[in-house]
Amino acid sequence: MSVSRISGTLSAEETARTEFLRKFPEYERTSRIDALRASDYGRLDALGQIYLDYTGGSLYGESQVRQHLDLLTRHVFGNPHSASPASIATTDLVEEARAHVLRYFNAPPTEYAAIFTANATGALKHVAESYPFSDRSQYLLTVDNHNSVNGIRELARARGASVEYAPVTVPDLRIDRARLGELLGKADRAQHNLFAFPAQSNFSGVKHPLELVEDAHASGWDVLLDAAAFVSTNRLDLTALRPEFVCVSFYKMFGYPTGVGCLLVRTSALPSLVRPWFAGGTVNFASVRGTLHVLAPREAGFEDGTLNYLGIPAVTIGLRHLESIGQDTIPTRVGCLTAWLLEKLLALRHTNGRHMVRIYGPADMTERGGTIALNLYDPDGHLLDYRRVEELAGLEGISLRTGCFCNPGAGETAEGLTDEDMQAGVEEGPAITLSRFREIVRQRGGKSAGAIRVSLGLVSNFSDVYRFITFTESLRDQTRLTMGDVTFDVDACRVLRDGA
Ligand SMILES: Cc1ncc(COP(=O)(O)O)c(C=O)c1O
């Protein structure tokens, strides 16, 4: 496939853009993002890159990096654990960032504590370790969840809690409200029970109903809301919702810095948490001869060791960056582009009339965000290898994501994998990997263990989605044989190249 074949002619793109704007006139209200893209993200177009992995990580604006560099080069910052000028300068910026995070999520400090972590996973691990699960507690979670939420089940079980999954329905991959209602009704209100769900699926883009927080509270549950995928294109108002725990990773919101996340905890839930250990930075007092330790109150009791104190001030810069764009601008733009993309993908057909694309999850914009999971099929309905699709997209400068996106439950439901399919994987024992499992389910009826994910975000534009559609069209009438063989594999989210 040549670049010119993929790019098409400018006039074809212009015609499509005119049709798009006629259909989505509200897109014009988001034009400040075009200006921002030109001034702050010029590298995308200068390098001809089409970035479609905002759910994996958002992109930073060059001004964010410049402001951060300016801050670092004009001051002297030291480890925050002392009273020196270099230390106080750092503490002030860390506390400024914390206060800004709380304000951004409309979470007054009397109601919420903001604990800095390395990422959303670090935030979830705090909940896993410190939530007071007992042998009469329950941990209830939706099948659609990131593995970092699934993993909490291991520590819940180790403390004797029962673990239950609430199913999602096909084909829309939304929570089965009736079944969830039954499961929520099973809580022993005298115990500590935790219900976890994502505000937006990192697999299908479904926005799960936020009123579930209130439903769960009414039935005697604490709530862990995984907001990591939701907050990259939506604002979350914690005063309106009041879940006990919320996790985010800041790079998913504004690209930079990596290595900083946050656990927001309701102050009313803090006293029930039991930290399994203490560390440097978390204690008001610790003695070796006396075996005594007294944890610091609020955030400090959870921030193990030295914080990422040079990175955290860049969180303030990133939040200001998002605020300067305006609250509704990003979701409006992402909504228009996603609606167009869904419509075009569903219309793609091979010459023999068969559909080229299967979309997992909602095919329209009802309660969904800008993440689309899909697979491509050849004219005989055989699955095309998503890794080869990723590779061919990469040759055209398109960055998308393939695999299971650390969300096995949504993928298993979407593809209708049966207990027997899963058992076939289990029989492989410890040697099982996603690659091996993909091969097993392919042989068991041409199913897919994994998908292609395109996700839109902060500075997506019409050209990005147009070029993805043009790329997908270029696979019309292609088969596994004509597409060629994939030259890489992925295990445990690490890319393995042929010969590496
Ligand atoms: C919904 C969701 N939760 C949690 C995570 C984990 O985030 P991190 O890898 O930054 O810890 C991700 C990452 O993709 C996610 O999409």
Side-chain angles (χ1 to χ4, degrees):
M1 274 163 290
S2 71
V3 171
S4 61
R5 200 174 138 206
I6 298 304
S7 315
T9 60
L10 188 64
S11 67
E13 182 173 338
E14 283 313 313
T15 309
R17 187 195 307 274
T18 307
E19 178 215 339
F20 165 74
L21 290 176
R22 201 174 309 122
K23 202 151 186 193
F24 301 99
E26 64 273 33
Y27 184 81
E28 307 255 35
R29 292 206 311 267
T30 69
S31 60
R32 78 177 64 166
I33 292 181
D34 294 315
L36 182 72
R37 177 156 165 157
S39 64
D40 226 11
Y41 298 79
R43 61 191 190 279
L44 277 172
D45 296 322
L47 298 172
Q49 295 261 329
I50 297 143
Y51 188 75
L52 298 174
D53 190 20
Y54 286 88
T55 300
S58 190
L59 295 179
Y60 53 85
E62 285 140 39
S63 63
Q64 286 169 255
V65 183
R66 271 197 301 275
Q67 285 175 61
H68 191 214
L69 178 68
D70 190 49
L71 186 78
L72 296 180
T73 48
R74 280 191 305 107
H75 297 87
V76 177
F77 294 121
N79 186 308
H81 290 157
S82 65
S84 67
S87 185
I88 289 170
T90 309
T91 300
D92 286 350
L93 288 181
V94 168
E95 294 315 314
E96 181 189 18
R98 198 188 309 281
H100 205 132
V101 169
L102 288 168
R103 264 199 319 281
Y104 185 84
F105 292 113
N106 196 18
T110 47
E111 293 284 329
Y112 277 93
I115 297 163
F116 284 119
T117 57
N119 44 34
T121 300
L124 293 163
K125 191 151 183 241
H126 275 323
V127 179
E129 288 175 345
S130 303
Y131 190 78
F133 288 115
S134 74
D135 56 4
R136 282 176 294 163
S137 303
Q138 295 186 48
Y139 178 44
L140 172 64
L141 65 168
T142 48
V143 157
D144 179 8
N145 254 313
H146 191 275
N147 266 341
S148 299
V149 179
N150 288 327
I152 295 175
R153 73 185 187 205
E154 298 304 308
L155 288 178
R157 263 198 205 120
R159 276 178 254 141
S162 66
V163 175
E164 194 114 39
Y165 274 100
V168 294
T169 55
V170 280
D172 271 11
L173 303 179
R174 297 191 193 278
I175 294 170
D176 179 339
R177 294 291 289 271
R179 179 68 187 134
L180 177 66
E182 286 167 19
L183 292 168
L184 286 174
K186 284 180 20 184
D188 174 350
R189 288 165 177 274
Q191 307 303 321
H192 289 286
N193 304 300
L194 185 63
F195 169 55
F197 74 103
Q200 181 171 312
S201 171
N202 72 320
F203 183 95
S204 64
V206 164
K207 285 183 179 170
H208 294 300
L210 294 176
E211 67 262 22
L212 291 181
V213 176
E214 206 177 317
D215 292 359
H217 282 164
S219 301
W221 297 78
D222 291 325
V223 177
L224 165 57
L225 183 68
D226 176 359
F230 181 83
V231 292
S232 63
T233 50
N234 300 278
R235 199 76 182 250
L236 187 67
D237 179 346
L238 292 184
T239 296
L241 294 178
R242 299 179 187 272
E244 277 64 30
F245 310 103
V246 179
C247 67
V248 298
S249 270
F250 292 108
Y251 72 87
K252 288 196 192 288
M253 296 172 68
F254 34 76
Y256 178 87
T258 52
V260 188
C262 183
L263 174 65
L264 292 138
V265 185
R266 259 179 90 171
T267 45
S268 58
L270 272 175
S272 65
L273 298 183
V274 186
R275 289 228 69 196
W277 79 322
F278 66 93
T282 64
V283 280
N284 275 352
F285 180 80
S287 152
V288 169
R289 294 186 59 177
T291 68
L292 173 72
H293 77 271
V294 178
L295 271 185
R298 284 184 64 107
E299 292 93 349
F302 289 82
E303 290 176 342
D304 295 335
T306 302
L307 282 172
N308 181 351
Y309 62 85
L310 293 181
I312 287 172
V315 170
T316 309
I317 295 169
L319 291 171
R320 285 197 196 115
H321 184 70
L322 282 189
E323 284 162 344
S324 74
I325 298 170
Q327 180 140 338
D328 293 333
T329 314
I330 301 168
T332 301
R333 188 176 180 95
V334 165
C336 297
L337 294 171
T338 309
W340 187 86
L341 191 51
L342 283 168
E343 190 187 303
K344 294 293 167 197
L345 285 169
L346 288 167
L348 288 178
R349 286 172 187 263
H350 291 290
T351 309
N352 66 5
R354 285 185 97 144
H355 283 285
M356 293 174 64
V357 179
R358 172 172 173 198
I359 298 210
Y360 301 104
D364 65 20
M365 288 310 293
T366 314
E367 291 304 310
R368 62 129 56 242
T371 302
I372 303 175
L374 59 111
N375 262 316
L376 296 174
Y377 296 82
D378 76 7
D380 291 326
H382 296 131
L383 180 72
L384 295 179
D385 188 332
Y386 54 72
R387 298 165 307 166
R388 181 66 182 148
V389 175
E390 175 174 1
E391 200 163 51
L392 292 174
L395 294 176
E396 303 298 336
I398 299 173
S399 292
L400 42 77
R401 178 87 183 260
T402 62
C404 81
F405 328 123
C406 299
N407 188 333
E412 288 160 15
T413 309
E415 191 59 23
L417 298 189
T418 60
D419 289 348
E420 291 73 31
D421 292 327
M422 301 317 295
Q423 187 54 35
V426 169
E427 277 162 16
E428 292 282 302
I432 189 72
T433 60
L434 179 60
S435 297
R436 178 73 194 116
F437 189 56
R438 190 183 48 243
E439 219 20 63
I440 291 171
V441 294
R442 195 178 67 79
Q443 284 160 8
R444 294 173 59 84
K447 293 181 189 172
S448 179
I452 298 164
R453 183 179 76 185
V454 290
S455 54
L456 308 178
L458 191 52
V459 290
S460 294
N461 67 11
F462 180 74
S463 208
D464 292 335
V465 290
Y466 179 82
R467 286 182 61 188
F468 178 66
I469 285 292
T470 313
F471 163 71
T472 312
E473 272 171 347
S474 75
L475 299 176
R476 176 169 290 123
D477 297 336
Q478 300 269 350
T479 63
R480 280 178 83 91
L481 279 177
T482 59
M483 275 174 73
D485 287 330
V486 63
T487 62
F488 76 96
D489 204 353
V490 179
D491 261 333
C493 294
R494 283 160 184 83
V495 173
L496 314 169
R497 295 201 175 275
D498 271 4

